[in-house]
Amino acid sequence: MTNPADEPSETDLDDNDLGECVSVGGEPLGDLEKQLDQLWPKSTEVRSPLAGRRIAHYDLKRVLGSGAFGVVYLAVDTRLGREVALKLPRPEVLVDADKRARFAAEASLAARLDHTGIVPIYHADLDGPAPYIASGFCDGPDLAEWLEEHGRVTSWEEAVELLAKVAEALHYAHAQGVHHRDLKPANILLTLATDPSNKAKALGDYEPRIADFGLSKLADASLTDTRSSLLVGTPLYMAPEQIDKTIGSDSPAATDIYSLGVILFELLTGQTPIGGESYVEVLDGIRTGRAARLRTLNTACPRDLERICSRCLEKNPAARYQSAQVLAGELRRCLKGESIEAKSQRVLSRIGYWCRRPARVAEAGWFTLWVQAIWMVWVVGTDTFIGFSDVELTEGDWWLIQRDTLFALSTVHVPMAYSGWQTTKGKRWAPWVSAILTAIMMPGLFASIATGPVFFAPVYKGSTSWFVFAVYFMLITCFTIQIAYNVCAVLAIRKRRAAR
């Protein structure tokens, strides 16, 4: 079977509802999981009600594939005497203005692409009683069918060569301002590059062709959906930023590069880097899960290839290859055994990505709240039990301790604890307050180590310098982490607002 119109499923779930469902670590809300699991790929068996009939000057032979938007038939162009893949929209697409517009957009976008690695559009009639798109027919299976039959490639070189060709074709599309947004094995069609009588049909016998630009997006004039609640894409191959808007991306090419990384991983291992038993688990894994490492599943792959694949699968779009052309070059250098540019660790990029994640807001709030709660217990406990200790206190010392206790609670610990609580609720001002108050306290804490306690000096009478150092060192450590967390929360809140 070739040329499937394997468009992804859609759902009218609100983006916020979906984000809340996925963000709770895979725990579904109500019946949402059941609703989403209905979208999981089912049987692709399709009847052929139009087989044997004619549309315009095309004789329909049999169904090649189907999807949410249309059915693709093998047809014969009676004028030119050649086989074509004829895509016909489903009836429900014809009566839905939004879906019909997207069907038409696929033809207009794909028609502007002229590359040997992209399935060509020959002809389209979008206004007649039976709209259709006639495209090139590939005589081999699609990559999904090949994987289903073979499991994975026997030679990593075959996979790298194939993906390098796909990346080069993809770079051409990107250069024309078109980004696919739904790359997956079913959208990579295979046509025989060798003698058709060859029965081996190894992956190296085929040339890849990218098909189905139904979700494509123009870089210069975005084709946005009229319904903001539309979730588009195929889960296993979707990039994190397609699911979580707070991630954002200044490089639309990075989304397609992530999908290429998933396909490369699957070719080499027979499975996707992130999986799950349900739609919700897959989405949650893509957003927050850690991808499996390539060489743990296929030790025959060189380490450089693992580095290339890992870079494609970075959660942070900015850490991936910034063009498909660069990726193609890396793959070809790997084939030749030459040095590649990819690094297994991109420390600064990963730290920056981690700092701006939405989870940092709640973490900063809870950390601040608990740290201040612990130190409030320490302050009040010290004030309460100092009288039962062996420390000799004058009346002036006792009043000094009371003053420091009241000052610490009223100006530092209670305000910080309150701002921490408000940070957990997502208040924009709260992490600023915690960070500023902590920064104001830091000089006094360092001075207490260098010259002696600035606060609660009578408490430390008779104590060793090591005890004083240990107490203030713990304070400095907690407050330093608190500042860092709250700065991260500020960055995360700003990024979340920008994503809206």
Side-chain angles (χ1 to χ4, degrees):
M1 184 172 70
T2 55
N3 264 6
D6 194 17
E7 296 96 337
S9 302
E10 307 175 24
T11 176
D12 288 330
L13 291 169
D14 184 82
D15 288 336
N16 295 330
D17 294 338
L18 178 63
E20 290 176 5
C21 173
V22 178
S23 65
V24 294
E27 291 297 328
L29 302 178
D31 295 328
L32 184 55
E33 184 173 23
K34 293 180 180 179
Q35 296 175 31
L36 289 174
D37 282 338
Q38 292 175 0
L39 303 176
W40 202 249
K42 301 294 192 301
S43 172
T44 57
E45 182 180 354
V46 181
R47 295 181 180 179
S48 307
L50 299 180
R53 301 180 64 177
R54 174 176 290 191
I55 291 181
H57 55 281
Y58 297 100
D59 287 335
L60 306 184
K61 297 299 183 183
R62 58 183 172 85
V63 170
L64 296 175
S66 69
F69 282 88
V71 179
V72 176
Y73 286 82
L74 172 63
V76 175
D77 184 337
T78 58
R79 293 179 180 176
L80 299 178
R82 64 182 176 187
E83 292 182 324
V84 301
L86 198 73
K87 177 181 284 189
L88 304 177
R90 291 182 179 275
E92 60 268 27
V93 173
L94 295 175
V95 298
D96 187 311
D98 180 63
K99 291 182 178 179
R100 182 159 180 159
R102 285 179 55 193
F103 182 82
E106 176 181 355
S108 61
L109 286 172
R112 64 188 290 180
L113 303 177
D114 182 15
H115 190 278
T116 56
I118 297 175
V119 175
I121 297 294
Y122 295 145
H123 185 251
D125 182 353
L126 305 175
D127 301 318
Y132 62 83
I133 301 173
S135 61
F137 169 68
C138 296
D139 52 7
D142 62 50
L143 190 55
E145 293 170 334
W146 191 94
L147 280 167
E148 184 176 356
E149 180 180 352
H150 296 83
R152 71 181 193 186
V153 297
T154 56
S155 166
W156 65 266
E157 290 91 347
E158 283 186 325
V160 171
E161 179 64 32
L162 184 94
L163 261 293
K165 293 176 181 177
V166 173
E168 289 166 348
L170 193 62
H171 172 69
Y172 167 81
H174 291 173
Q176 309 307 308
V178 179
H179 301 87
H180 197 288
R181 297 199 301 160
D182 190 32
L183 274 175
K184 55 188 176 183
N187 287 338
I188 299 177
L189 309 184
L190 303 175
T191 185
L192 281 169
T194 59
D195 183 352
S197 63
N198 180 9
K199 302 299 182 182
K201 305 279 191 307
L203 193 61
D205 296 330
Y206 296 101
E207 290 291 331
R209 302 283 186 270
I210 302 175
D212 197 355
F213 281 82
L215 294 182
S216 297
K217 186 174 183 179
L218 282 172
D220 54 351
S222 299
L223 292 172
T224 55
D225 295 307
T226 57
R227 295 175 297 165
S228 62
S229 61
L230 187 64
L231 173 68
V232 292
T234 304
L236 291 172
Y237 305 91
M238 289 173 70
E241 62 270 21
Q242 290 180 283
I243 300 169
D244 187 348
K245 291 182 179 180
T246 64
I247 295 176
S249 176
D250 296 327
S251 173
T255 297
D256 287 341
I257 289 171
Y258 180 93
S259 299
L260 281 179
V262 178
I263 295 171
L264 176 61
F265 189 98
E266 187 174 11
L267 279 173
L268 295 168
T269 66
Q271 65 184 62
T272 53
I274 293 176
E277 297 298 324
S278 69
Y279 199 103
V280 173
E281 286 184 22
V282 171
L283 294 182
D284 192 46
I286 292 172
R287 290 176 64 253
T288 61
R290 187 177 182 85
R293 297 196 67 84
L294 180 62
R295 280 173 51 82
T296 61
L297 299 172
N298 187 345
T299 56
C301 295
R303 293 191 182 277
D304 280 352
L305 185 54
E306 182 179 65
R307 294 188 181 102
I308 292 173
C309 193
S310 294
R311 186 167 177 184
C312 291
L313 296 175
E314 288 278 3
K315 301 289 187 190
N316 181 8
R320 299 175 206 145
Y321 293 107
Q322 292 307 290
S323 80
Q325 185 179 37
V326 175
L327 171 59
E330 288 277 83
L331 290 171
R332 297 208 178 277
R333 281 190 289 274
C334 181
L335 270 176
K336 297 176 183 178
E338 299 174 356
S339 177
I340 64 170
E341 299 176 3
K343 303 297 182 183
S344 57
Q345 298 290 329
R346 297 173 58 84
V347 177
L348 293 179
S349 176
R350 291 184 178 184
I351 290 175
Y353 174 75
W354 183 89
C355 289
R356 295 190 296 270
R357 299 299 299 125
R360 301 295 86 77
V361 179
E363 290 172 3
W366 286 113
F367 184 86
T368 300
L369 180 60
W370 281 108
V371 164
Q372 298 311 313
I374 291 171
W375 284 108
M376 280 191 285
V377 171
W378 173 271
V379 169
V380 174
T382 300
D383 187 16
T384 302
F385 297 106
I386 188 66
F388 299 97
S389 68
D390 295 332
V391 178
E392 295 183 2
L393 298 176
T394 65
E395 184 174 352
D397 290 338
W398 188 84
W399 282 110
L400 182 60
I401 293 173
Q402 304 310 308
R403 183 203 68 183
D404 288 349
T405 299
L406 181 62
F407 176 82
L409 292 176
S410 62
T411 63
V412 180
H413 298 301
V414 172
M416 283 188 186
Y418 178 74
S419 65
W421 174 245
Q422 293 302 309
T423 299
T424 64
K425 297 181 178 181
K427 302 295 184 181
R428 296 198 301 268
W429 57 266
W432 282 102
V433 172
S434 296
I436 292 172
L437 287 177
T438 308
I440 292 173
M441 287 295 298
M442 292 296 279
L445 298 178
F446 281 107
S448 297
I449 289 181
T451 62
V454 175
F455 300 102
F456 299 99
V459 174
Y460 298 101
K461 283 184 177 181
S463 300
T464 64
S465 59
W466 283 107
F467 176 75
V468 176
F469 176 84
V471 171
Y472 281 94
F473 179 79
M474 286 191 294
L475 269 170
I476 290 172
T477 300
C478 290
F479 279 22
T480 300
I481 297 174
Q482 184 172 293
I483 287 180
Y485 248 135
N486 281 283
V487 170
C488 290
V490 170
L491 295 175
I493 289 174
R494 291 181 63 183
K495 187 170 182 64
R496 183 171 61 192
R497 292 188 67 195
R500 292 175 181 173

